[in-house]
Amino acid sequence: MEYTISLVGNPNVGKTSLYNRITHSLEHVGNWHGVTVTEVSKKIMFDHNTVNMVDLPGLYSLSVYSPEEGISRDRILDKSSDLIINICEVNNLARNLYLTLQLLELDVPTVLVVNMMDELKKQGKVLNYRKIEKVLKIPIVPMSAKYHSDVHLLMQVALDHIQTHGANTVNLEYLEKLPLDDVVSIIGANAANAGFVPRWAAIKVLENDAFVLEKLNLNELQIKALEAMGDMQARVAQVRYEFIDKITEGAISRSVSDEHHEMHEHTEHNVPIEREGEPEEERDKKDKHARHHDKHKKSERLKMLGFSRIDKIVLNKYLALPIFLLVMALIFVVTFGLVGKFFTWLLELGIDKLIYNPLTKWLVKIKCPAWIVGLVGDGIIHGVGGILVFLPQIVLLFFFLALLEDSGYISRVAFMTDGIFRKIGLSGRSAFTMLMGFGCSATAVLTARGLEDDTMRKKTVLLTPFMSCSARLPVYSTVAAAFFAAGSPFVIFGMYVLGAAVALLLAALFEKCVKPLKSGKLSFIMEMPPYRFPTAERVFQIIWNNAKVFLIRVGTVIFALNVIVWLLSNFSFTAGYTVGKNAKSILELISGWIAPVFKPFGFGNWKAVTSLLSGLVAKEVVISSIESLGGVEAIFTGSHASLSALTFMVFTLLYVPCVATLVAIRKEAGLKWMFFSLGLQIGVAYVVSLLFYGVGLLYYLNKGVFIGCIIVAAVVAVCISVFIGRLRGKKACPYCAGGCGTCSKTCKKTNRDKK
Ligand code: GDP
Ligand code: MG
């Protein structure tokens, strides 16, 4: 038999982790929301059955907001799955079950997986899932998908359930509290026409579900009749949550060994406030208890939002940014400093001694034509090998990024930036996409699909290419090592910071000046995933995924391009092989025409232009072309060679990452925006490089004027920051995770109410 099983659940509950376990895949798992943005599927064999497993983007409810949630909703509603494995996170059971109830209302065969049992165990608690199972009448399988999971048992349960599931086995008693029959009498015929079960459509109508309402195509009379029933949206949520409260009450309890601790806590926190006739000392003691109790309640609320004690330091107003910069600087020093350089040097040595020398000697010995020796030696081995040697640095960089991502720190970074980001029409979730841009611009652009707001999505897509992707890394590493020696980790770090700064400045500019890109007020609620200990397996997966992409690129695109670039730069239209002849090669001719454009930066020569042009297909080729055209020293010459080299890095950072990114932008934002983005990247790259070179030249020519300019710039920057500070107004509130949009007033009020 052949079955389709879909994995459905809230974001960040471990769906992809489980999918990877079941299908032995290496799909991206991340400790943040919105990692999976498209559906992924793979067929496996189980018990002589073919099972098509589908991993879907996360969603909180069937009434969806973002396009990625829409993908999941459509997959659930079209009932193309024989079974849904609904994954819940045990620490957020109540919220997760909200979606479960909606699946049961829809009456799709469902098996419930309660994940992250390891975290519950660590808290010394146990889950009495049998109790929930009895009410919901669906199989429940507790597990820890990240560590050890009895996937075999789960699959067995799932297939059994497909075969035994009958229609309407669940009794969802709370539905009786809703006027479903009345709604069915109004919309019944339309629901049947639209292919919905009328009672289910009635629930959705009460929920004001835009998707279902549109499909029902109701007439004005029907709409009036529904309006007369009043707004029932909140009521639906209320009855569902009441039901969830009922079934989960007491389901999680402390394991016996922790009972004593619980008793202690209980007496400590429930201090009665009885004041009359109390001695002062006693009252003070009780006040202290009451304050402690309040503090405890507050920390419980923060905990619910995912905040942990470490966040007091990591998200501290004054420490957050220095900590982030310190962490990043450390990573760069290790990756591009001695450690990374040592491995790169080792690999370079190996390629030279074991491949280049013997192979070229052998080719000469068997009397191969000079151009073949040149093509194999310089074009292929030095060109492609020159890129391959950066593998250790890429592995190191992703090792650290994997640690940051899997531990949950990257989400903190997104949270920190959320306040500033919203001022410029982006959100913390845009920060995820942009941080992904450090990996590969093209894939990062595709993750923007998870952003709810259309304008924000476009803007994020346009800005992500400015984040420095790993393909630019070999360029920085080679150029910086040649001109800045020990300072190179900091120069490279500077490039990453510059890319991010340009992206943020552009965002602010768009928000103020480009009407179609003005997002206005955004409401956005961000959740904080808990800190989790990164597993070696997961870290290895992230490294392997990125290293694999890199190796495939080296073996295909970069290899092919190197051969083409070498041939075009060593052959002329008329004279054939140009070495030793007084003839211009094809590229020398073409790039020579463009070269004057780069004269102001000091690298207006055909070799630099050739490398930049070939970099349009893949950024790594910039450096492999340079290597096969005589190395960096041949390109950056003259009295300001190091300034030219630095400007070259800036230009490489900011101009189009690669054709694949443009294709991704077209996919996410359309053709018009793709051309806009192309023009924007080239324009920004040119202008910023010009400014950069100009300021640098000033420094070389007249230090006094340079310092004067710096002081003026600093004063202007302070004025602007004071101005922005006034615009920013009040700080974000931790109760809504800084995300309610209309923060401060609403939240302060809510807090008072809660107190
Ligand atoms: P998805 O968004 O639902 O696909 O979730 P992912 O599979 O991407 O996982 C989200 C985060 O939860 C990652 O950091 C995982 O390592 C972590 N995670 C997944 N399953 C477990 C588990 O059983 N226990 C713990 N402690 N963490 C888990
Ligand atoms: Mg996922």
Side-chain angles (χ1 to χ4, degrees):
M1 287 290 280
E2 186 161 337
Y3 300 111
T4 300
I5 297 181
S6 299
L7 298 174
V8 171
N10 287 190
N12 213 28
V13 294
K15 296 177 295 300
T16 307
S17 302
L18 183 60
Y19 173 85
N20 286 348
R21 285 228 179 265
I22 298 176
T23 60
H24 304 289
S25 307
L26 293 176
E27 291 300 331
H28 194 130
V29 173
N31 192 8
W32 43 278
H33 301 247
V35 183
T36 313
V37 286
T38 50
E39 74 170 49
V40 183
S41 64
K42 191 170 176 182
K43 282 193 176 144
I44 54 157
M45 289 301 293
F46 186 84
D47 246 8
H48 309 294
N49 297 303
T50 311
V51 182
N52 185 25
M53 291 300 305
V54 186
D55 181 26
L56 292 171
L59 79 171
Y60 290 107
S61 144
L62 287 183
S63 305
V64 306
Y65 296 100
S66 71
E68 49 159 8
E69 290 178 324
I71 296 174
S72 302
R73 191 252 337 262
D74 292 346
R75 177 54 105 150
I76 297 165
L77 291 192
D78 70 15
K79 299 205 173 175
S80 56
S81 316
D82 297 291
L83 180 96
I84 282 175
I85 294 184
N86 174 215
I87 301 157
C88 288
E89 183 198 338
V90 70
N91 276 316
N92 267 315
L93 200 56
R95 195 191 61 199
N96 282 222
L97 283 173
Y98 194 79
L99 177 68
T100 312
L101 289 187
Q102 296 190 39
L103 295 173
L104 296 179
E105 287 162 11
L106 194 60
D107 200 24
V108 283
T110 304
V111 168
L112 187 65
V113 166
V114 181
N115 194 27
M116 307 204 185
M117 291 302 290
D118 57 299
E119 293 195 346
L120 195 71
K121 199 171 159 203
K122 256 189 241 149
Q123 297 160 24
K125 293 179 183 167
V126 287
L127 170 74
N128 180 6
Y129 65 93
R130 296 280 177 213
K131 183 178 168 227
I132 305 172
E133 204 172 45
K134 243 182 236 159
V135 186
L136 294 184
K137 297 198 174 63
I138 52 170
I140 298 183
V141 184
M143 66 163 59
S144 300
K146 181 171 171 180
Y147 298 100
H148 40 79
S149 40
D150 197 348
V151 169
H152 193 85
L153 173 80
L154 172 66
M155 292 305 287
Q156 197 70 59
V157 169
L159 291 190
D160 283 353
H161 193 58
I162 294 179
Q163 276 137 21
T164 55
H165 171 84
N168 243 344
T169 42
V170 195
N171 173 23
L172 299 172
E173 57 183 41
Y174 63 91
L175 292 179
E176 283 155 24
K177 295 181 189 165
L178 300 172
L180 294 183
D181 293 333
D182 298 347
V183 182
V184 168
S185 66
I186 302 170
I187 62 151
N190 302 53
N193 283 343
F196 296 137
V197 175
R199 265 179 83 78
W200 179 79
I203 306 173
K204 294 287 135 190
V205 166
L206 289 180
E207 275 186 285
N208 240 339
D209 183 296
F211 175 78
V212 171
L213 280 172
E214 193 193 314
K215 292 260 171 202
L216 287 179
N217 201 10
L218 301 173
N219 62 33
E220 244 169 62
L221 268 178
Q222 287 171 309
I223 293 172
K224 280 230 169 78
L226 287 174
E227 276 171 0
M229 297 172 79
D231 187 1
M232 296 293 288
Q233 203 171 350
R235 177 77 186 136
V236 177
Q238 186 195 1
V239 295
R240 279 194 194 128
Y241 273 122
E242 278 171 6
F243 182 68
I244 291 172
D245 282 348
K246 198 171 129 191
I247 61 172
T248 53
E249 202 190 341
I252 292 179
S253 55
R254 288 196 180 273
S255 60
V256 184
S257 60
D258 277 339
E259 213 89 297
H260 172 75
H261 178 70
E262 190 184 26
M263 287 279 291
H264 175 74
E265 225 177 36
H266 188 76
T267 44
E268 189 173 312
H269 295 139
N270 286 298
V271 186
I273 313 279
E274 179 72 59
R275 315 200 71 99
E276 258 174 57
E278 250 177 354
E280 202 169 313
E281 201 179 294
E282 191 72 2
R283 202 184 314 158
D284 275 357
K285 212 166 150 193
K286 284 183 179 171
D287 273 353
K288 214 165 131 197
H289 273 308
R291 273 200 304 275
H292 180 84
H293 180 51
D294 266 3
K295 222 164 131 191
H296 175 76
K297 257 172 67 183
K298 186 178 160 194
S299 76
E300 281 290 305
R301 273 200 299 271
L302 288 174
K303 229 197 246 160
M304 252 175 65
L305 285 164
F307 287 84
S308 106
R309 240 180 278 158
I310 309 173
D311 287 328
K312 277 199 183 140
I313 303 167
V314 170
L315 294 178
N316 178 289
K317 206 162 57 174
Y318 305 105
L319 294 178
L321 191 64
I323 289 179
F324 174 64
L325 291 178
L326 195 73
V327 168
M328 292 315 270
L330 262 175
I331 292 177
F332 277 77
V333 168
V334 175
T335 308
F336 300 104
L338 276 183
V339 182
K341 272 194 195 136
F342 170 73
F343 287 113
T344 298
W345 169 80
L346 212 63
L347 214 57
E348 239 166 16
L349 200 73
I351 290 175
D352 252 7
K353 293 266 181 278
L354 301 177
I355 308 174
Y356 181 83
N357 290 349
L359 194 65
T360 44
K361 264 186 203 147
W362 179 73
L363 287 175
V364 172
K365 202 169 137 195
I366 60 166
K367 299 204 169 53
C368 259
W371 72 269
I372 292 194
V373 181
L375 173 66
V376 174
D378 293 334
I380 297 174
I381 303 179
H382 267 170
V384 178
I387 297 301
L388 198 64
V389 294
F390 291 102
L391 184 65
Q393 298 192 356
I394 287 182
V395 166
L396 276 172
L397 188 67
F398 281 104
F399 166 72
F400 290 117
L401 288 183
L403 289 188
L404 295 189
E405 185 190 316
D406 213 32
S407 62
Y409 183 67
I410 291 277
S411 296
R412 267 74 189 171
V413 175
F415 175 78
M416 283 186 311
T417 52
D418 195 53
I420 310 165
F421 266 44
R422 262 182 303 128
K423 286 281 171 286
I424 52 178
L426 295 169
S427 77
R429 269 187 84 168
S430 316
F432 284 133
T433 299
M434 291 168 71
L435 283 167
M436 291 280 286
F438 286 147
C440 166
S441 307
T443 27
V445 164
L446 295 178
T447 64
R449 201 171 297 167
L451 298 166
E452 301 83 0
D453 183 81
D454 205 37
T455 322
M456 189 164 74
R457 192 165 54 242
K458 267 192 207 117
K459 217 155 41 178
T460 310
V461 160
L462 290 175
L463 300 175
T464 303
F466 292 106
M467 307 304 283
S468 187
C469 70
S470 60
R472 280 127 156 162
L473 186 150
V475 184
Y476 306 149
S477 202
T478 312
V479 179
F483 289 93
F484 303 99
S488 57
F490 299 100
V491 170
I492 299 171
F493 185 43
M495 287 298 135
Y496 280 77
V497 175
L498 179 68
V502 167
L504 294 184
L505 272 177
L506 281 174
L509 206 71
F510 289 161
E511 188 65 13
K512 289 265 170 289
C513 316
V514 185
K515 218 168 168 203
L517 291 175
K518 209 174 153 79
S519 318
K521 211 171 198 172
L522 296 169
S523 92
F524 162 77
I525 294 175
M526 196 172 77
E527 270 178 68
M528 192 74 71
Y531 281 111
R532 294 198 167 106
F533 205 77
T535 51
E537 187 188 352
R538 178 67 208 130
V539 171
F540 174 76
Q541 243 179 44
I542 294 179
I543 294 174
W544 173 238
N545 276 350
N546 285 288
K548 197 171 68 184
V549 170
F550 175 75
L551 289 174
I552 292 173
R553 274 165 75 89
V554 169
T556 53
V557 185
I558 295 172
F559 179 88
L561 266 173
N562 267 303
V563 172
I564 296 171
V565 169
W566 191 89
L567 288 175
L568 294 181
S569 56
N570 282 285
F571 279 79
S572 86
F573 285 119
T574 49
Y577 189 44
T578 53
V579 172
K581 293 180 192 161
N582 194 13
K584 276 193 173 172
S585 71
I586 300 170
L587 271 181
E588 206 171 341
L589 215 63
I590 299 173
S591 301
W593 293 328
I594 309 172
V597 178
F598 295 97
K599 264 253 149 48
F601 310 143
F603 52 82
N605 57 58
W606 73 273
K607 288 179 180 173
V609 175
T610 299
S611 65
L612 289 175
L613 279 180
S614 51
L616 282 174
V617 184
K619 267 281 153 63
E620 297 94 334
V621 186
V622 170
I623 210 64
S624 56
S625 307
I626 291 181
E627 294 289 356
S628 62
L629 294 175
V632 272
E633 283 82 6
I635 290 185
F636 308 108
T637 49
S639 47
H640 306 304
S642 54
L643 180 60
S644 272
L646 207 55
T647 313
F648 185 82
M649 284 162 74
V650 171
F651 193 85
T652 309
L653 161 73
L654 298 175
Y655 89 108
V656 192
C658 60
V659 179
T661 306
L662 288 178
V663 174
I665 294 175
R666 204 198 112 193
K667 213 163 155 190
E668 294 307 309
L671 196 64
K672 191 179 85 185
W673 288 107
M674 185 198 84
F675 281 115
F676 178 79
S677 162
L678 180 68
L680 180 77
Q681 288 163 37
I682 294 176
V684 166
Y686 200 83
V687 172
V688 175
S689 301
L690 206 58
L691 276 173
F692 193 84
Y693 193 75
V695 173
L697 219 50
L698 199 66
Y699 174 78
Y700 278 116
L701 297 179
N702 191 333
K703 291 209 172 63
V705 178
F706 174 78
I707 292 169
C709 288
I710 293 283
I711 292 171
V712 171
V715 171
V716 172
V718 169
C719 292
I720 292 176
S721 70
V722 169
F723 176 66
I724 292 177
R726 284 177 61 184
L727 279 185
R728 270 171 78 177
K730 289 168 190 154
K731 63 174 182 176
C733 159
Y735 292 91
C736 62
C740 69
T742 56
C743 210
S744 291
K745 266 190 216 155
T746 334
C747 288
K748 273 194 183 145
K749 186 174 171 298
T750 334
N751 296 341
R752 242 198 339 266
D753 291 350
K754 277 186 188 163
K755 273 184 192 162

